[in-house]
Amino acid sequence: MSSSHASSRQRAPLTGRRILVVEDEYFLADDIGHALRKLGAEVAGPVGDIEDAMAMLQGAGVLDGAVLDVNIRTELIFPVARELRARGVPFVFTTGYDRFSIAPEFHDVPLWEKPIDVAAMARTLAGLIGDRRA
C-alpha cells in the first residue's frame, strides 16, 4: 500500500465501506450517518424499524458493518444482530439502557450508551472493520 493511500485510509478509514444504520431517533440517526460519512463510509439507511432493517439485509448488497439501536420502536434488535453475526459483519450497539438490556450472546459487542459520542462510536466501528477487504 502506498504511503498516500495509507494516510488517506487513516483520515477516512471507512472509505469504500457500506454501513447499515438502524436507529429510530431521527436526529441521532442523522448524526451517526454524518459521522460515518466523515470517515468515508457509504451509509445504508438509516432505517427506523426491524422489518426495514431485515429487508435491507436481504437486498442491500454487501454490508461491511452496522450501528444498531438495541430498542427500535419497542422491539429488540437481536434478530438483525444475529443475521449480521451469521454473515460475519461487525457491528456496535447503541442504547438508552445499560448492558443488562443486551442478550448474553452479544456481551462481546461494543455498547454505546446514549447520549453517545458519535465520532468515537464511528471510530470504534472503523476499528472493528479494519482492513477486512483490503
Side-chain angles (χ1 to χ4, degrees):
M1 180 182 300
S2 72
S3 63
S4 64
H5 183 69
S7 65
S8 73
R9 176 62 94 186
Q10 289 171 347
R11 285 192 305 274
L14 293 175
T15 298
R17 309 299 185 156
R18 191 147 191 249
I19 309 299
L20 173 64
V21 175
V22 184
E23 172 60 62
D24 59 358
E25 294 178 36
Y26 174 80
F27 292 110
L28 181 54
D30 190 53
D31 288 348
I32 291 169
H34 179 74
L36 292 169
R37 283 185 204 92
K38 191 171 181 179
L39 294 178
E42 174 190 343
V43 175
V47 296
D49 64 54
I50 302 290
E51 186 176 307
D52 288 345
M54 292 302 279
M56 289 288 287
L57 287 176
Q58 300 310 313
V62 173
L63 292 171
D64 298 295
V67 177
L68 306 177
D69 183 2
V70 172
N71 190 347
I72 298 291
R73 299 183 186 186
T74 71
E75 291 185 77
L76 295 176
I77 196 70
F78 303 131
V80 175
R82 285 183 192 100
E83 182 64 26
L84 289 167
R85 181 161 275 174
R87 295 176 182 207
V89 176
F91 55 91
V92 297
F93 288 129
T94 63
T95 187
Y97 304 100
D98 57 27
R99 184 156 291 282
F100 294 112
S101 64
I102 304 300
E105 68 190 288
F106 297 115
H107 280 183
D108 61 318
V109 175
L111 174 68
W112 291 86
E113 292 183 33
K114 297 175 184 177
I116 66 172
D117 179 337
V118 175
M121 180 274 306
R123 288 190 305 271
T124 295
L125 182 60
L128 292 174
I129 293 169
D131 284 334
R132 291 165 39 99
R133 267 197 304 164

